[in-house]
Amino acid sequence: RKYFHAKVFYMGFYFRLIYYSIVSRFTQIQINAYSRVESTCRALPWRSDDFYALHNGAYFMYMDLVRWSFVAQVGFIPVARKNKWFMVTGGQKIYYRRPIRIFSKFTVDFQHVYWDDTWFYAKHVFRVDGQVAAVGYVRTIVKSDSGNIPVSEVLKATHQMCISPPMPEEIRAWIESEL
């Protein structure tokens, strides 16, 4: 029974990723590196724990999905295919405020909050009825078979000639905690 739930759980995830990949081929760049992207979702039973709330691993999956929505809309997917680049998650951190109950409709906001020469840092905010349920942070890097791709090169390739926002205190604390 658990195996069936796992298959259903991941199939929806992969269908959404395929959708974003296809859409990115046929749409113009709609947003820039500073843009905020929001995705509306529903907490389904196979993504819940024994307490009828979204289980902790599902939050990271939703963070991935809204991040893929962003990279599709910013025009990264065709650029990555052309250059044989790929994104790698270098770390994730999440703070849970309140549970997202089964069948609840919720939104996940995504926005890059900072980048340096190597890493992109993004913030994800989960909301139910306008109230913050969780806040997650992710650090991603773009790589190729020959190594890391500098952030400046990624921004240039996606026609995003912009400078990083100032480093938020949450990101500074996260970076310092890993030194």
Side-chain angles (χ1 to χ4, degrees):
R1 182 173 174 208
K2 288 287 186 185
Y3 180 70
F4 171 75
H5 289 302
K7 283 175 117 176
V8 171
F9 177 76
Y10 288 112
M11 287 309 297
F13 175 76
Y14 288 121
F15 284 138
R16 235 170 162 170
L17 289 180
I18 291 167
Y19 168 77
Y20 292 141
S21 295
I22 291 169
V23 166
S24 71
R25 285 180 176 251
F26 302 106
T27 58
Q28 296 292 322
I29 295 172
Q30 302 168 357
I31 61 174
N32 63 40
Y34 301 119
S35 296
R36 184 178 68 84
V37 173
E38 181 181 280
S39 184
T40 302
C41 308
R42 188 164 302 275
L44 297 172
W46 48 86
R47 295 185 183 122
S48 67
D49 58 19
D50 293 338
F51 301 105
Y52 306 105
L54 199 64
H55 69 77
N56 58 352
Y59 287 86
F60 294 111
M61 185 211 61
Y62 284 113
M63 288 167 59
D64 282 346
L65 286 174
V66 74
R67 198 164 47 253
W68 274 100
S69 174
F70 175 85
V71 299
Q73 292 180 56
V74 83
F76 177 76
I77 293 175
V79 170
R81 281 191 192 119
K82 177 183 166 195
N83 295 305
K84 297 183 180 174
W85 292 349
F86 51 94
M87 283 179 18
V88 176
T89 299
Q92 296 185 77
K93 194 172 210 157
I94 194 160
Y95 299 97
Y96 302 100
R97 302 284 185 248
R98 59 183 44 86
I100 298 177
R101 295 286 177 204
I102 195 170
F103 299 117
S104 296
K105 189 174 181 180
F106 63 96
T107 60
V108 184
D109 295 339
F110 167 92
Q111 187 169 23
H112 277 120
V113 292
Y114 176 73
W115 55 82
D116 56 24
D117 296 336
T118 309
W119 298 98
F120 288 98
Y121 294 86
K123 181 177 183 179
H124 299 77
V125 180
F126 292 77
R127 287 190 176 86
V128 177
D129 297 327
Q131 293 188 326
V132 175
V135 178
Y137 296 93
V138 65
R139 174 176 58 206
T140 56
I141 190 170
V142 177
K143 298 176 92 55
S144 71
D145 288 340
S146 58
N148 298 344
I149 308 301
V151 167
S152 58
E153 190 175 332
V154 175
L155 292 172
K156 185 177 178 183
T158 55
H159 309 291
Q160 305 292 320
M161 302 311 292
C162 47
I163 59 170
S164 174
M167 184 187 293
E169 189 53 41
E170 299 92 349
I171 301 299
R172 182 182 321 281
W174 184 17
I175 293 170
E176 288 174 359
S177 73
E178 295 185 344
L179 296 177

